[in-house]
Amino acid sequence: LRGTAGLLDWEQRLWQRLVGIGIPIDTIVEKMNAAASGTSLDSRMSMIVLGHTLGVVMAWAVVTYTPRSLQRSALFGSARMFLRMAKVVFFICIELVVFPVVCGYCLDVSLMPLLASASIGARVQELLAHRWAALFTHWLLGLLFMVHFARFVLHCRHVMRPGLLWFIRDPNDPEFHPMREILEDRMLPQQYNIARSALMYCGIILACVGLSMTLAARTAPSVFPMQWRGDARFGDHPTGILLMVFLLPVAVMWGRPNEVLHALFSRWWRVAARTTRLSEFVLGERSIVDEGEWTLRRMPWLPVLAPRLWMPTDVVERVFNEFDAVDEARAGPVPGALPTHEYYVQLQCAIDAALAQNQPQVTFTLGSGGNFRVPTVDTVPVVPGRIMLVQVDGHGRPVNSRYDYEAADDVDLRDAAEREGRVLPPPAPESSYRDRRFRREHYTVVYVPPGLRARMCGVLAMGWLAVAVLSSSTLVLSLIIGRRAYARMSNLPMHDMYALSIGLLVLLIVAVLVFRLATFLHNVAANSRAEWTRELRRRAVLAWTAAWKAALTAAVFFGAVPAVYGLVVEVYFVVLLRHMAASPEVEVAFERTMLQAMAHNWMFGVLHVWVGLSLLRVFPALWWSRQLERLFTGPPHTWHVGRSILVFALPLIGVSVATAALPFAVAACIMWYRGELTADAMLRAFRLVDLDVLALSVKAVLGTVLIVAATWQACLLYRKWSQSARDRAYLVGHQLHNLDEPAENISAETTADVPLSV
């Protein structure tokens, strides 16, 4: 054994037994000793984890084995509070650290078909060689996926029937208290829920993303694998390519592609639900066509596929809309309601009469499925052991009394059911933060056809097909378009990340324009000819106004202002960096043409403008924020562009120009004082070739600004201090004056009471 020199005999025997059963205690101790004396990030992280683990174990031992008589001590209370804090931190770390990392690694595996010579072994070696960088990258990638998946779930909640996604917690639930659940619920059920969520996320990533990327790679083998160079510098690419890359997030913000995706997936979910006869169960839209089956009189053995395309469904829907009776299982015990069986019998007679009159060659038979009670809200309380899908009879009551949760949670109904001899489930357990009892308003009755699991698998398969086709086709088309544009705009070797950005920008613009045009034509087609002409003129005027206002705003605030601000960055940042770190590596890094320098500074200015706008949204009470909200509220045709240029653009441009020109003026003064002021010297300073005098002037300007700012802050502090000192002196004097007044009053009263001597 290693590391047993300072151990006793019984300790060495214990180590030998541990090693004999497969526990390498000697290796573990050596690694822990090395970590305790090491200074690397791995050593520090391992020591932090070990220290917290030992603290949790010690606190658990104190809480578990403390006698009842000592449980009011400060040690017991501190240990219990520490365990609660550790429990909260543990689950937060799992949700915000472990989950995103696992999702990031699953995405890494799913994207491997797109890369050249990618394998699990090579990827593991690369990840081990750069552990922390890979961990952060995968965490960020997984976090982005979780955010977009949450948005996709929100889209599904808007489209699908409320209550269908009851198993996914709704963050908008007012009774959702995750911290209280963490503190009050047991560890094992929570760990089970976490493991189930992790498996669901991993399955979704591997099934949707992995299979979609494999489909794209197999469908377009000439496009893949993707190509890029790891040593390519950002500044080596032409300005046009960089401009299109930076325009992509702006186009995403202004084009709102989420509306296009929402419209596409909404229609696709509707098609999938109608194809599987689950319109009411999935979408909450009752369709009588889903509650029956079509047959041909001459060939009753032949199954009818896609009946909505070639069967007289309009006849059945017209009869259903004109039918007067209602189903008691759905509407409850209201006047005129019929049990489900009688309701279907009368409706079947009406449908048969209508089909015999219009389409005698086909028949439509109702009642192939059944009515089920399902949740009608996504925030329904979940009770362990209870099922959400319960079959009901013709009166809306559960067929099996073991699922009659309403009677189980109501005392009066429970007593009546027990007198009748019915077997009821146990009542809902009590909770300190939520009422888990059955509520009738949380549930509704819908029609469910036979083979629900197979039909739901069909809906999910069609959803996966839509995601796979859309993602793979978008990726392939973006790469094809982007590569052609990249080849025309640059002579550099192909870099697919830039090509993908260019292709996505083109597809986004085309898709948004087509969607807007289709929506406009659909709205126009629903109106008359006069209204259509008037609406077309109005839209044309609004489009022209919005176009020139948006173009002028973009040219000023994302063109002129960042370009002028880029001069400030070049003068104050790049000049100092080149002068202070004068080395060949720095010179090579900043080796660029004038056009590239202007493009880089412009993009840096765009980033600062974007950050400034974001900060103004965070602080709405500022004067600038109020002006921004007043000038740019509403669609582009309502913007006050001229006023915004006077309020925002011109002051920013003027301050930037003055700030950038100030070091050159100081440099000219220094040259004049030295007797070196010539046209050639100033030209070299303007071209940033001679940096000595210019760097000195920049330092002088920055030093002066810092001194002035510090003096101004000191004056403000002095004013506040002097004001507070005067206020305190005034209060003290006022209190002393109030104390003197009662003494004077008392002496005056005493003098008045004493009689004057004769």
Side-chain angles (χ1 to χ4, degrees), residues 287-310:
S287 177
I288 193 62
V289 179
D290 295 339
E291 301 182 18
E293 296 180 353
W294 294 89
T295 56
L296 301 175
R297 291 185 181 273
R298 295 183 179 181
M299 294 178 290
W301 48 268
L302 182 65
V304 178
L305 302 177
R308 293 181 181 272
L309 299 178
W310 58 291

Side-chain angles (χ1 to χ4, degrees), residues 505-645:
L505 178 63
V506 175
L507 285 183
L508 174 63
I509 295 174
V510 173
V512 170
L513 290 179
V514 171
F515 175 74
R516 303 296 181 193
L517 181 61
T519 305
F520 171 72
L521 294 178
H522 176 74
N523 296 332
V524 167
N527 301 325
S528 62
R529 184 179 182 83
E531 294 179 353
W532 179 82
T533 306
R534 188 163 51 253
E535 181 68 16
L536 185 61
R537 291 177 180 175
R538 190 181 69 86
R539 289 296 184 91
V541 172
L542 292 180
W544 166 249
T545 306
W548 74 262
K549 286 190 175 183
L552 183 58
T553 303
V556 173
F557 289 95
F558 291 96
V561 173
V564 177
Y565 180 77
L567 298 177
V568 180
V569 176
E570 183 74 21
V571 172
Y572 285 89
F573 178 74
V574 177
V575 168
L576 282 182
L577 184 62
R578 291 176 59 185
H579 184 265
M580 297 176 65
S583 62
E585 292 80 5
V586 175
E587 292 297 331
V588 170
F590 285 98
E591 184 179 350
R592 53 196 175 158
T593 62
M594 182 64 69
L595 185 61
Q596 289 179 344
M598 293 175 60
H600 295 169
N601 295 332
W602 170 80
M603 286 182 287
F604 198 76
V606 170
L607 180 62
H608 276 73
V609 170
W610 191 270
V611 172
L613 293 176
S614 303
L615 291 177
L616 289 179
R617 294 192 186 98
V618 174
F619 301 100
L622 297 177
W623 180 85
W624 292 72
S625 302
R626 295 197 303 269
Q627 292 293 328
L628 185 68
E629 184 70 20
R630 184 175 65 87
L631 297 174
F632 291 99
T633 300
H637 66 270
T638 62
W639 292 352
H640 303 278
V641 180
R643 178 68 178 173
S644 64
I645 293 175

Side-chain angles (χ1 to χ4, degrees), residues 712-726:
W712 182 57
Q713 290 294 327
C715 293
L716 291 179
L717 291 176
Y718 175 75
R719 287 183 180 180
K720 292 181 180 180
W721 174 79
S722 60
Q723 184 65 32
S724 62
R726 287 194 297 268

Side-chain angles (χ1 to χ4, degrees), residues 31-112:
K31 290 185 177 181
M32 298 307 297
N33 290 331
S37 59
T39 58
S40 63
L41 184 59
D42 296 341
S43 302
R44 294 176 179 177
M45 291 299 297
S46 59
M47 287 295 100
I48 290 174
V49 172
L50 180 61
H52 283 79
T53 304
L54 292 177
V56 170
V57 172
M58 294 172 62
W60 173 81
V62 170
V63 172
T64 305
Y65 297 105
T66 298
R68 185 179 296 273
S69 59
L70 299 178
Q71 289 185 358
R72 293 187 177 181
S73 61
L75 178 61
F76 180 84
S78 302
R80 189 174 181 181
M81 182 61 67
F82 179 76
L83 281 181
R84 291 182 176 179
M85 293 175 58
K87 186 178 180 181
V88 172
V89 171
F90 172 73
F91 282 103
I92 290 177
C93 289
I94 288 179
E95 293 286 345
L96 298 181
V97 178
V98 178
F99 258 27
V101 170
V102 173
C103 292
Y105 281 110
C106 290
L107 284 172
D108 192 357
V109 174
S110 302
L111 296 176
M112 286 177 58

Side-chain angles (χ1 to χ4, degrees), residues 329-352:
R330 299 170 180 268
V334 298
L338 301 175
T340 303
H341 178 70
E342 299 180 10
Y343 173 80
Y344 275 155
V345 168
Q346 296 186 15
L347 183 58
Q348 183 69 59
C349 295
I351 292 175
D352 292 341

